[in-house]
Amino acid sequence: MEYKKTFKKRIFFVFLSVVAILVGCEKFLTKDLDTDLTHDRVIRSYDNNRELLMSLYAHLTSAFTYTNGSKIENATDNAEFTSEGDDIQMFNKGTWNAYINPDDIWQNHYKAIQKANKFIQNVDSVNLEPYRLAQGESAKKIYETRIKEIRRWKYEARFLRAFFYFELIKRYGGVPIITQVFDLTDQNIEVERSSLKASFDFVVDELDSAARHLPLQYGDNDLGRATKGAAMALKSKVLLYAASDVYTENALANTYVHKNLISLDGDQNQRWEDAAESIKAFLDSTQGQYSLSSNYEDLFSSRAHLEKEMIFVRRNGSANNFEIQNFPIGFDLARGGTTPSQNLVDAYEMKSGAKFSWANPTMANRPFENRDPRLASTIVTNGSSFQGRIVETFFGGKDGKPKVNATKTGYYLKKFINQNLDLLKGDKSVHTWVFIRLAEIYLNYAEALNECMPGHPDIEVYINKVRQRPSVGMPPVNISGLNQQEVRKRIRHERRVELAFEGQRFWDLRRWMEAQEYLSQPLEGIEIERIGFEFKYKVVTVEDRIFESKMYFYPIPQYEINLNNSIIQNPGW
Amino acid sequence: MIDKQYILVFFVSILFVNVLFAQDLDSVIDLGLNKYPAWKNTSAISEIKREGIQTNFTNSLVKSLGGKVHGLSVDIHNNEPGVKNVASLYVRGRSTFSSGTQPLVIVDGFEGFMDKILPHEIESIKILKDAASTTIYGDRGANGVILINTRKGRMESLEINLNIKHGIQTPTALPKYLGATSYMHLYNEALYNDGIKKLYNQEDFDGYENNASPYLYPDVNWYDVLLKERMPLSNYYLHFNGGNKVARYFALLNVLRDGGIFKNTENLSGTLSSDDYTQYNFRSNVDINVNKSLLASLYISGAVGEKNSMGGENTNSIFDLISNIPPNAFPVYNPNGSYGGNQLYVNPVGELQSKYHTVDDRMLSVNFRLTQNLGSVLEGLSVSSGVSFNNYHASYTMQEKGYRRFSLTEHNTSSFLYTAFGDESPISKDESNADRWQNFTFDAMVNYDRNYGKHDVDGVLMFKVSDKQQSYDYFPYRHALLGGSLLYGYGEKYLTSFSFSYDGSYEFSSKEKFAFYPAVSLGWIVTNENFFKDNNIISYLKLRTSYGLTGNDNIGASRRFLYNEFYYPALSYYFGSSNSSHSGLSESSLRNVNVTRERQKEFNFGAEIQLLNTLDLQVDLFKRKRYNILTKTHDRYSAYLGLESPELNVGEVENSGMEVSISYKYNSNNFSLGATMNAWYAENKILNNAEAMNLYSYLYKRGHPIGQPFVLESLGFFKDQDDIQNSPTQGFGTVRPGDIKYKDQNNDGIINDNDMFPIGLPSLAKLNAGIDLFIRYKNFAVSVFVNGVSGGTVSLDPKYYKAIQNQSNVSDLALNRWTENMADVATFPRLSSINNENNFKASTLWQRKRDFLKLQNIELSYEIPKRTLSVLGIQSSRLYVSGNNLWTIDHMEGLGDPQLVHGRYPALRSYNLGVDIKF
């Protein structure tokens, strides 16, 4: 009996140990140290918040080899992309749709917007208490500068968020306006698309408040951040878009049940006036901040980010993939990418200001001579010099057919390309993508004035500022005697030539409701035959293109439609 | 770390209990989980004994297991000796599309490491397949369990066993690349096809014809230059086995040496060497009866590996190089003794001689267990507790130097011009890389095993904690598990068992930390029923079935601890006049506090039948559903919410199949015959993977097995320009006659990646089979092993078919290329010197059936009559010859082994000679 008792005691003891171990398990199985950056830690940290804002800037499309950057020009009458299999060709072949869209930024931009929302919501949680409570002048100073800095950050983020929304509106019309922060429990939240007006209003309001709080300029180390000027300029551009024909009641909108998603009511003329006024406001309040660069080519060089003409740009690190993609094919590693079209080349005037014409034998024999200097700055033509050698795009030439991936148009791209790079050596350089520069603002101003106050003297002044940049030096335009329609044509021409390959034409043609005319034209190139020392030129069709009226607006991606009953598709898709 | 005091408490209590209850008992119960007699088993388990695996002479145990045990598929992907991750093992095929498919390996009752274990130190390998047998392993049971028991000492006088085995290995097949003149003809043809003028003219061909100069007209077969014709493989071991009632031991020393594939050449320190691998193993398994009721077991084993490798850390870079260099590119050595080479390619011999890597790894495993029989208190009761410590360390030494290679041009008839590439540099040595892990397990259990007349009760209750730490991973992998099973049998006819585990895993948040897994099984031994007793045909029949829940916490997440937020440096931006970079911070997908383990429900039905007392048949049918598979979801959160696609436990896979095993044994004095046939089949289907929406329904992976290939369907080659005009546009560059014509699956007039259609099967074959045959007549014996698979697809590696692309080599597949005259019989597209995206897309043209039947092994042996040798003290001795991988039927058209089609370290055939002596 005694024996059994002890046994029971021991068993009980063992049992107790089991229980003790099970209780200890929870701790044993739990991470004892948090090395990860948790949310709480991040939002309280000054450095982490600064870094979060940095990554928000990095969400600006890096542009160069991307569809929503330089490559989009290939979906306009300005260029053709060499690779047939490239996604960008879907625009030209008309094979894009709600399922597949080479420029589907929907998902990516909403991610950036969510990041911005989260940043804006949390940035005030940065813990500056140690500085506030610390003794001494230096701590106090840090505290004060940081308080200011954090306030500014918030408006930088709001500027960027407005920028992202504008990119969405350009493509899709009215979009869901989202300013709140979500987590995984928000699976079933359904948000409707805001009307186009509400979407534009949101962006404009946000830019107004950003402009009120952002500085006119930064110290040397912070150059490149969003400024008051950037906010005002972007706002004026948004208003210019809002005033444009595509958003005014038109056939496309009138047959669409939800027309407030893609068009605006009210007086279009008033909207042009608002646009002109906001540009004027920008010009007045940023006097001395910006000026046209004397050399057009500097704007696309590796030092472009220092040019005083730049209002807002996408900065990038050193790279050479843009050169690899676009160098003339005869250069090592080149792939033959974006090639300018004959349609564009023909648009450049003669140096004299006369229109170029193949019917004129002098012009036709030497088609690349005596042209608007911006042609040679933008486009590599046959016989021009590139990296110290003559470019041969004629048939059988070093850069011409029948070489694989040789240009189909007879031209190569020059703008933004650093021809000094030795690709075999792996040379790289800085590239700066222009979102808004002063020349565009001038042309925007001319355009807006011509729409609401035809004949206004400033129209001529601002067009000619752009034409008479020292390195361009084109003869001035005189609008007296021209009617509004003729002036409109001059402005649109100037815009096409000045801003070629800067990602503008794709949108300009749409907002002017001219896409159907220009984007369904065949894309032309030139065939050059060398006969002795002479060249014979023949304009040929490179590609037939397709544009349907529904393509003025992108389709909302099908994946979104499928997940949401509340999201309405754009007309025709 | 581990709460050591608890462990101490356990050991002390066991010793304490022992002191209190030490009683004279006749027998010692040898404990371990599932140590029931076979008739009590109600779950799906397959087993192989040592005899079944040791005839196949390879440098790694896993390579010997393919086709041997039903339910275990071995997918060998690297045949190089001494490398990690030689093969992937699958129990009952694949049941999850996450990366965590590995079965749990248990060695002598503890989590172990299979890579360095030798076949002849194994007593048996069991594969636990169904829920009833694996549920007790908690979060790591769902992928199946491989139970390895090593040899124990026998209760007999000392036996010393010496075994010497030598083998010669040769590659079964290597990619076949063309010789120089054929290559040049084809190259010219490729240029012609591209409208470019010929590169090689008559003079060049004459140069080869007249053997003008081996330097200017090189024709190098790099396989011949670099590879040994015969690679030696040898193994020596010495076993000591014996014991008595008090202590028993099994000890082993083993040396395995694989002589490497490259010819001996001077390495960078100037000595002759090859890539080789040597492995030293030792083992000491000792069981001691401390007193009549306490058993102490101490099993210590270790392995030391030394891998020398030339030309890189493994042979891959050299094999990749060989498959690229055209035969006429350059000679091995130039006339002045320097290395040949050109701008594009380095010299493979130069590589071998200037890069020397060694991996030294060691592995130590110590298992200690105390088992206390408590029969004096309650008959059939015992307690046991053990600890296991495994430690692995590998250090990497890398020595490299730069060297120059020269390309040669003729200056005049007697001298050459040399153009140098690459730079000389002194030897650099890097010893900074190391790799280690260690794992610690502690368990304690109570067993109860008792028979009351017609009632049989077997129970076990177990507690186990394990901790694994590894380099490059800050946090450990831990588990704490409480598990048990209870089996009740009535009259040796009806069996029922219940098992469970409650497992806690380090991987999950406190909310999801623990999981409970139950399983039940039933068995009915029909032949023990009275109405069946007199049956002469069916000597044994048992029906059994099981159903239960198992889990897998190796969930293949993009990062560990998904339940926490995770920010990482990314997306930097540039500010300032100097455009300097500023780092950014990005948040990965949102935290998922509910992240949890995969779970699996499994139903199993099995029958064990014996006919005529000689023929054994085992059949198992299973159906399982894995759910809660972690997957990146693209189908539920609106994109405008702006969230990174979250990883949620929503994936589901269904897997079903069967296993059959038939074996026959006959034994008499002069003659024995044994035959075993195993076959197993498993087929899975993805039920849910939350994939993104697709334009065409056939693009969904859902509804297909895991690893379903999606390829373009080749319709042959374009006949002419008209054919191209009249066919859908192909979006992979301009096509010409002779290029592959693809089927427009969606009839949209364009061939692009949307036309990738599910064709073929996953590479892991659905059906596996193996046949083992053993015949002995007097002193002669033969054993044969044949292995086959069916229902899988191989996609050829581009090395086999990328002719001339990027100036590369051409394999003999291209001999059957399309030309205008050969258009009807061509099996290979037209040649092109330019990168031809169209022809080298993944397509049916490059798929082959994986099915094969292989004569994996034959062994002939002769037992030397005892009396001849007994004077020398030799108990028995056996001489044997064997051959591995001797013959294959497959669909590979001689390209290579269907299991290894990457064009790297090849599959090997070997011929071996051995002697086995027992003293």
Side-chain angles (χ1 to χ4, degrees), chain B residues 360-414:
Chain B
D360 290 290
D361 61 1
R362 42 230 60 201
M363 150 100 200
L364 180 70
S365 167
V366 180
N367 296 347
F368 179 63
R369 178 176 292 285
L370 289 171
T371 306
Q372 172 67 51
N373 189 332
L374 292 175
S376 60
V377 179
L378 183 62
E379 199 190 322
L381 184 71
S382 61
V383 293
S384 166
S385 180
V387 287
S388 163
F389 182 75
N390 289 310
N391 184 312
Y392 174 84
H393 180 96
S395 61
Y396 303 87
T397 310
M398 183 177 96
Q399 292 181 79
E400 292 187 3
K401 67 172 182 189
Y403 66 96
R404 302 177 94 177
R405 58 188 195 274
F406 295 87
S407 111
L408 213 56
T409 38
E410 193 170 19
H411 182 46
N412 53 41
T413 44
S414 58

Side-chain angles (χ1 to χ4, degrees), chain A residues 42 44-52 126 146 153, chain B residues 585:
Chain A
V42 167
R44 293 169 62 78
S45 155
Y46 167 84
D47 288 322
N48 287 155
N49 272 283
R50 193 192 59 226
E51 288 165 348
L52 284 173
V126 172
R146 290 200 170 176
W153 285 351
Chain B
L585 190 67

Side-chain angles (χ1 to χ4, degrees), chain A residues 3 7 10 21 28-29 33 39 55 99 114-115 118 184 191 220 223 315-316 404 560 562-564, chain B residues 16 21 463 474 478 513 565 567 573 576-577 579 585-587 635 637-641 693 695 834:
Chain A
Y3 185 82
F7 171 71
R10 294 307 156 203
I21 284 193
F28 170 68
L29 293 172
L33 191 81
H39 182 67
S55 74
Y99 292 87
Q114 177 66 202
K115 267 189 177 179
K118 210 165 183 175
L184 291 188
V191 183
D220 194 58
L223 278 186
R315 295 212 176 186
N316 294 288
V404 174
E560 198 74 321
N562 285 15
L563 283 173
N564 274 287
Chain B
F16 200 63
F21 306 122
F463 174 74
Y474 186 85
R478 287 177 179 166
K513 193 120 280 185
E565 301 101 356
Y567 287 82
Y573 197 70
S577 55
N579 202 47
L585 190 67
S586 226
E587 186 177 2
D635 64 344
Y637 288 91
S638 300
Y640 57 64
L641 299 179
M693 205 194 52
L695 184 45
I834 298 162

Side-chain angles (χ1 to χ4, degrees), chain B residues 310-312 317-318 321 346-355 403:
Chain B
M310 302 175 77
S317 57
I318 297 290
L321 198 55
V346 295
N347 186 309
V349 176
E351 291 293 294
L352 288 182
Q353 297 186 342
S354 57
K355 289 179 181 165
Y403 66 96

Side-chain angles (χ1 to χ4, degrees), chain B residues 175-321:
Chain B
K176 293 181 196 66
Y177 296 112
L178 300 182
T181 44
S182 319
Y183 171 80
M184 287 154 59
H185 277 297
L186 264 59
Y187 196 92
N188 276 348
E189 182 184 318
L191 291 171
Y192 172 81
N193 287 345
D194 300 327
I196 302 172
K197 74 176 192 330
K198 285 183 189 175
L199 180 70
Y200 302 106
N201 50 35
Q202 196 52 46
E203 202 179 300
D204 297 313
F205 288 104
D206 289 346
Y208 279 98
E209 184 83 358
N210 308 331
N211 292 323
S213 155
Y215 299 110
L216 290 174
Y217 303 103
D219 183 1
V220 183
N221 181 332
W222 288 99
Y223 286 126
D224 291 349
V225 171
L226 298 173
L227 303 194
K228 279 181 189 150
E229 274 171 47
R230 289 179 291 273
M231 298 135 63
L233 177 67
S234 51
N235 191 75
Y236 312 89
Y237 69 74
L238 201 53
H239 290 173
F240 303 88
N241 193 346
N244 54 33
K245 273 186 119 176
V246 177
R248 293 160 303 283
Y249 53 87
F250 171 79
L252 158 160
L253 290 171
N254 189 88
V255 182
L256 169 77
R257 199 175 148 72
D258 193 309
I261 197 163
F262 296 129
K263 285 180 183 164
N264 281 354
T265 178
E266 212 169 80
N267 67 22
L268 83 179
S269 21
T271 48
L272 271 185
S273 65
S274 171
D275 59 310
D276 55 16
Y277 177 67
T278 312
Q279 183 181 313
Y280 305 90
N281 282 63
F282 77 90
R283 173 175 289 280
S284 160
N285 289 358
V286 180
D287 295 294
I288 297 169
N289 291 70
V290 178
N291 55 39
K292 287 275 167 105
S293 66
L294 180 68
L295 173 72
S297 310
L298 179 63
Y299 291 8
I300 301 176
S301 66
V304 174
E306 282 177 22
K307 179 173 167 55
N308 296 318
S309 154
M310 302 175 77
E313 65 177 314
N314 51 42
T315 57
N316 293 353
S317 57
I318 297 290
F319 277 103
D320 291 352
L321 198 55

Side-chain angles (χ1 to χ4, degrees), chain A residues 131-416:
Chain A
Y131 294 104
R132 191 175 70 88
L133 300 173
Q135 300 291 322
E137 272 309 296
S138 68
K140 202 175 160 211
K141 207 163 170 200
I142 291 177
Y143 177 73
E144 278 165 4
T145 38
R146 290 200 170 176
I147 287 281
K148 271 192 216 151
E149 217 175 340
I150 286 163
R151 188 183 310 139
R152 191 195 77 218
W153 285 351
K154 202 191 269 188
Y155 288 100
E156 286 181 68
R158 285 173 69 169
F159 168 86
L160 291 168
R161 185 174 66 180
F163 188 100
F164 299 139
Y165 270 114
F166 180 48
E167 291 297 309
L168 287 167
I169 294 167
K170 265 158 70 171
R171 288 165 173 84
Y172 305 99
V175 292
I177 298 294
I178 285 160
T179 52
Q180 67 268 49
V181 172
F182 295 112
D183 64 35
L184 291 188
T185 56
D186 296 322
Q187 186 171 332
N188 300 318
I189 286 196
E190 295 209 341
V191 183
E192 289 182 3
R193 290 175 66 183
S194 294
S195 69
L196 183 65
K197 178 164 180 0
S199 304
F200 270 130
D201 286 350
F202 173 77
V203 173
V204 169
D205 287 347
E206 286 292 298
L207 290 172
D208 273 339
S209 54
R212 277 196 296 278
H213 293 92
L214 290 175
L216 257 184
Q217 60 180 13
Y218 286 94
D220 194 58
N221 287 334
D222 285 318
L223 278 186
R225 287 181 184 267
T227 57
K228 180 188 185 75
M232 294 186 78
L234 181 59
K235 175 194 162 189
S236 72
K237 185 170 179 174
V238 171
L239 289 175
L240 182 87
Y241 268 64
S244 300
D245 289 351
V246 73
Y247 301 120
T248 309
E249 292 200 27
N250 53 41
L252 185 65
N254 285 337
T255 54
Y256 182 46
V257 193
H258 311 280
K259 73 180 186 184
N260 68 340
L261 290 179
I262 58 163
S263 69
L264 302 171
D265 297 332
D267 183 3
Q268 188 185 11
N269 208 55
Q270 182 59 46
R271 294 205 296 272
W272 283 117
E273 278 175 29
D274 292 346
E277 211 171 283
S278 69
I279 300 170
K280 188 76 174 48
F282 164 81
L283 293 172
D284 290 345
S285 42
T286 60
Q287 275 189 18
Q289 278 305 315
Y290 306 105
S291 60
L292 290 187
S293 300
S294 56
N295 186 350
Y296 183 65
E297 291 187 10
D298 286 351
L299 292 165
F300 319 110
S301 72
S302 60
R303 297 178 55 75
H305 58 282
L306 301 171
E307 292 298 312
K308 292 206 58 164
E309 184 171 336
M310 298 302 189
I311 299 168
F312 192 60
V313 298
R314 201 311 176 178
R315 295 212 176 186
N316 294 288
S318 275
N320 61 10
N321 45 347
F322 191 59
E323 279 76 14
I324 288 175
Q325 189 179 76
N326 293 309
F327 260 24
I329 201 69
F331 290 87
D332 286 322
L333 303 184
R335 294 204 196 120
T338 299
T339 58
S341 66
Q342 192 60 40
N343 316 44
L344 174 64
V345 172
D346 284 350
Y348 285 88
E349 294 169 358
M350 301 304 290
K351 188 88 181 76
S352 63
K355 287 199 88 167
F356 173 84
S357 165
W358 285 105
N360 178 329
T362 338
M363 294 184 190
N365 282 339
R366 297 269 188 278
F368 312 128
E369 289 177 14
N370 298 318
R371 301 290 292 270
D372 181 335
R374 286 174 291 186
L375 172 61
S377 302
T378 309
I379 296 168
V380 176
T381 54
N382 184 46
S384 66
S385 166
F386 190 90
Q387 216 181 71
R389 97 159 155 76
I390 300 298
V391 173
E392 304 178 347
T393 67
F394 58 82
F395 191 86
K398 285 196 176 95
D399 310 296
K401 289 190 225 174
K403 274 203 166 178
V404 174
N405 291 332
T407 173
K408 284 185 266 186
T409 60
Y411 303 99
Y412 289 100
L413 181 63
K414 190 162 181 192
K415 204 182 229 188
F416 291 115

Side-chain angles (χ1 to χ4, degrees), chain A residues 3-4 6-7 10 13-14 17-18 20-22 24-39 42 48 51-52 54-55 57-60 84-85 93 95 97 99-100 106-107 110-111 114-115 118 176 178 182-187 189-191 220-225 305-306 313-317 404 430 558-560 562-564 566-567, chain B residues 1-3 6-7 9-10 13 16-17 20-21 23 374 376-377 381 442 463 465-467 474-475 478-480 482 504-508 510 513-514 561 563-568 570-580 582-587 590-592 634-646 648 693-695 731-733 750 754 834:
Chain A
Y3 185 82
K4 286 241 159 123
T6 335
F7 171 71
R10 294 307 156 203
F13 175 61
V14 172
S17 315
V18 172
I21 284 193
L22 281 174
C25 276
E26 177 80 32
K27 192 169 155 257
F28 170 68
L29 293 172
T30 304
K31 275 167 80 185
D32 48 354
L33 191 81
D34 250 320
T35 52
D36 297 340
L37 280 176
T38 55
H39 182 67
V42 167
N48 287 155
E51 288 165 348
L52 284 173
M54 216 58 72
S55 74
Y57 273 98
H59 265 283
L60 292 167
E84 269 306 311
K93 289 178 181 149
T95 56
N97 52 44
Y99 292 87
I100 184 160
W106 183 272
Q107 200 157 6
Y110 271 111
K111 275 184 193 169
Q114 177 66 202
K115 267 189 177 179
K118 210 165 183 175
I178 285 160
F182 295 112
D183 64 35
L184 291 188
T185 56
D186 296 322
Q187 186 171 332
I189 286 196
E190 295 209 341
V191 183
D220 194 58
N221 287 334
D222 285 318
L223 278 186
R225 287 181 184 267
H305 58 282
L306 301 171
V313 298
R314 201 311 176 178
R315 295 212 176 186
N316 294 288
V404 174
V430 171
Q558 192 64 33
Y559 52 75
E560 198 74 321
N562 285 15
L563 283 173
N564 274 287
S566 59
I567 293 288
Chain B
M1 256 264 315
I2 286 257
D3 296 85
Y6 295 132
I7 295 158
V9 165
F10 260 91
S13 23
F16 200 63
V17 167
L20 283 173
F21 306 122
Q23 294 282 306
L374 292 175
S376 60
V377 179
L381 184 71
F442 164 78
F463 174 74
V465 288
S466 64
D467 173 284
Y474 186 85
F475 294 101
R478 287 177 179 166
H479 283 94
L482 183 68
S505 168
Y506 195 78
E507 303 304 301
F508 309 116
S510 56
K513 193 120 280 185
F514 292 92
F561 317 120
Y563 59 84
N564 276 347
E565 301 101 356
F566 186 69
Y567 287 82
Y568 60 101
L571 296 170
S572 52
Y573 197 70
Y574 306 84
F575 285 136
S577 55
S578 53
N579 202 47
S580 47
H582 294 254
S583 57
L585 190 67
S586 226
E587 186 177 2
L590 289 183
R591 75 199 206 123
N592 171 3
H634 299 281
D635 64 344
R636 53 200 70 201
Y637 288 91
S638 300
Y640 57 64
L641 299 179
L643 309 177
E644 290 291 335
S645 310
L648 305 177
M693 205 194 52
N694 272 313
L695 184 45
F732 316 112
I750 299 170
N754 281 337
I834 298 162

